[in-house]
Amino acid sequence: MNIKRAKNEIKNALRAYLARDAFGAYRIPPIRQRPILLMGPPGIGKTQIMEQIAEETGVGLVSYTLTHHTRQSALGLPFIETVQLGGAERTVTAYTMSEIIASVYREMERTGTKEGILFLDEINCISETLTPMMLQFLQCKTFGNQRLPDGWMVVAAGNPPEYNKSVREFDVVTLDRVKRIDVEEDFAVWKEYAYRRGVHGAILSYLEIRRDHFYRVEATADGLQFVTARGWEDLSELMQVYETLGLPVDRQVVGQYLQLPRVAADFANYLQLYEKYRRVYRVEEILDGAWEKVRASELADAAFDEKLGVLGLLLARLADGAREAYRLDRLTDALHQDLVHIREGEKMLGTLLDEKQAALTRRRDAGSTDKDALFTAAREAERLAAFQQALALEKVPKGQAFERLKALFQEDVQARADAADRMDRQLANVFAFLDAAIPNSQELVLFATELTANYFTSWFIQNFGCEAYFAHNKQLLFDDTRQRLLREIGSAEPD
């Protein structure tokens, strides 16, 4: 299955394992809560979906890469303990708490969350001395005599042997005690995720043209050479930071992430074209509605790949604008809820600020990768601090404080409205340009489709509307219906 389906399967298993009956007992007894064994190629997102599941469900997450651990760190260190056995005092060997089990308890204390996921990566690449202990843990959820706390689900991940020479095969006894999920790469699923994560537009438009370069592992005389989803995403992060710093991304830089030379070279060449399209077509002028007619003529006469590259540039910029509107919308909602708490007397401004700052710190300490949620949390705390400072500097009387807070909040409401208006104008301007350049074309169909596929542009259109989009979408639907009817007429046999 693809990684999206695997994520849903794990979330469903977590819900089932944590479900309780009328007496408070787990509906599936802990001994029957099979660990999940997630098997699939490297770099397709196995680790990331665990972070997403924990964040979306509100449970704890403890992750370990088992290749870094020995029998002692997993089992604990031995020590001599004095006990009463058979009516006599005797010394026996005991063990300190397993480092892995101890980390689970520390996570519970740190977050106050009693339920969670213990994620064990590279499970089938462990050392020979650790293997018996790990198999025991998968079967019994214990290291030595120490048991994983109830309410914690075990998920283990590994790579098939063709990707790693050091893997160990599981025996039937172990496999019969786990819930196995096999995952494979899927570009369509990854693209949906990439849109949400804000992956660089050059990567998305390139892979739309070269889908066979999305994920490849090839055996060569120099060893395995590969391109993975993880490589594309990490390269995207670097490219975006390099752009802000004015640093070039050349073939050597690309090759550090895409370790299949011909793909790295091809993408590096595409990057040069991508930058050329940005300069030649003056994307910012198109967004502002100030484009020259010659630009439309140039796009009309361009090759298909060039048209897709320009569409990729436009889609990337529109996605940025929609994402800004999305973030400000979430911020406005959060601040509005904060004002409701203050108005109803449920919270004081200072108390709310302390809570939001503490929640932001917890998110950051937990290594959250949700940039949009982090933006909202950081900006919310920042705005509440600004509200508090304004009240203090202006020495606003207590009876007038809430009215002043409402006035300050209107600045955020206006910023949200401005972002939405700006995005709406940009959408209309881009459609006007494409209507002049490539009217009624397959590329225009693709553009409208990608607006729908992108999480942020789709969200914007659903929440704020876009006359240009709906007009084109209606026309596209009409054209689809017309083409279907013509095909049916053409295939009908005469009486």
Side-chain angles (χ1 to χ4, degrees), residues 119-194:
F119 179 59
L120 305 174
D121 201 6
E122 301 186 23
I123 185 71
N124 55 349
C125 295
I126 54 179
S127 66
E128 187 174 350
T129 57
L130 181 56
T131 299
M133 300 299 101
M134 193 53 58
L135 296 183
Q136 176 199 19
F137 182 74
L138 289 177
Q139 294 173 17
C140 308
K141 296 184 183 177
T142 61
F143 282 122
N145 60 354
Q146 300 159 33
R147 183 175 178 81
L148 184 71
D150 289 344
W152 280 74
M153 180 174 76
V154 178
V155 180
N159 304 134
E162 60 264 32
Y163 298 102
N164 195 324
K165 296 178 180 178
S166 62
V167 302
R168 299 176 180 277
E169 295 288 345
F170 291 114
D171 56 33
V172 174
V173 175
T174 302
L175 290 174
D176 194 37
R177 287 172 168 81
V178 299
K179 175 182 168 71
R180 177 165 177 159
I181 299 176
D182 291 297
V183 292
E184 59 187 5
E185 68 277 5
D186 186 314
F187 174 68
V189 168
W190 182 82
K191 187 172 77 167
E192 179 183 334
Y193 160 81

Side-chain angles (χ1 to χ4, degrees), residues 11 14-15 18 51-60 117:
K11 288 178 73 173
L14 179 65
R15 290 180 59 192
L18 298 183
E51 297 170 356
Q52 294 167 19
I53 291 169
E55 200 157 354
E56 291 168 12
T57 58
V59 302
I117 300 169

